[in-house]
Amino acid sequence: MPTPTAATLPEVHRGHDGPFGVYVHVPFCFTRCGYCDFNTYTPAELGGANPDAWVAALARELELAAVRLGGPRADTVFVGGGTPSLLGGARLALVLEHVREHFGLADDAEVTTEANPESTSPDFFDTIRAAGYTRVSLGMQSVSPRVLATLDRIHSPGRPVAAAREALAAGFEHLNIDLIYGTPGETDDDLLRSVDAALEAGVDHVSAYSLIVEDGTALARRVRRGELPTPDNDVLAHRYELVDDTLRAAGMDWYEVSNWSRPGAACRHNLGYWGGGRWWGAGPGAHGYDGALRYWNVKHPNTYAQLLGEMTLPVAGFEELTASDRHTEEVMLRMRMREGLPLAVLDPAERERARMAVGDGLLCTEGDRLVLTDRGRLLADAVVRSLLG
């Protein structure tokens, strides 16, 4: 099959209704973590990474995308990966300048970058703050040396807290730390020390995800060989409750099943995803969505750069969502949020199944909305499946 290009991608929505985001995928990592199945590449896998060539190709994609979309201003920008901080502060500043040049930024735009603590410094944070970044998401995962070793993380246990304090000193008001719980060998104390470290660092947002053994990863191979046990669902549920209890006691509340924040510190870009907003996904393997059409880029950085060298959007494929598809996604995504799902979204059969879930203690009603209970959050995916029948 030929690679679809801008000529074969159906016309995407043009206009300025509702929030619009730009996601930028940085495909570079210094090493590959054993649990990760993201579209990332080490220098050895690329025969030597060329971040300047990637930035140049990204600029061309943003130029073509802005013309195709009619130039909506970005309300949010999120630079993820991969390891965006490997680009360094100056290149990340240039990435944001390209977004600003081709799309423009809303006056109150939220601009986030992910960062690996080991590839940051006070100068790095000063540079990206001056460039217009408003939020940083740091990958801590854990402060336990044995957990970090199992996950193949290369940062030292204390570096994430030091990096968080450097970001705050640079003037960042919003700062997230990512945690992973349920790693083989992790104890309750390991997890609680990690949560406490995030709180002591002064962050206003914490994301905590259960370890998932993804097919094709080094972690999956170790589990298959019997070197590591498969994460236990009961243990994962218990660890989630530990995270939730500790963060809520410290003044953070959940606003999405895996995300907690202080008032006013929720990630607006991710709220756009969960709320059905539109975004352009730029970079190798990035996905975009316009409300009815989902599209994704070619994965390999060399192919990506080659297509953009020909001034061709690097689109690898797309799908046009049916009304049924959009309904399924709305239920699936909104049900994970603290504000819940409007009852009016459900058809009569789904409302009856929701009534049964309320009776089972998995959902509660708050006005005209359905909201997951604490027990329901532990079974969020199953609750969604039951609603949809």
Side-chain angles (χ1 to χ4, degrees), residues 110-182:
E110 175 196 84
V111 183
T112 304
T113 185
E114 295 179 337
N116 185 318
E118 288 297 304
S119 53
T120 62
S121 66
D123 285 345
F124 169 85
F125 290 119
D126 286 340
T127 298
I128 64 172
R129 184 70 188 95
Y133 285 81
T134 65
R135 189 174 178 276
V136 173
S137 182
L138 289 165
M140 173 189 278
Q141 318 315 343
S142 177
V143 297
S144 165
R146 64 171 170 269
V147 171
L148 293 173
T150 300
L151 296 174
D152 294 323
R153 297 289 294 183
I154 62 172
H155 65 73
S156 59
R159 178 57 197 158
V161 171
R165 290 173 176 160
E166 291 167 2
L168 292 171
F172 282 94
E173 296 180 8
H174 298 304
L175 191 59
N176 173 63
I177 273 182
D178 277 349
L179 298 174
I180 289 178
Y181 59 88

Side-chain angles (χ1 to χ4, degrees), residues 31 130 134 152 202 207 356:
T31 62
T134 65
D152 294 323
S207 301
M356 295 174 63

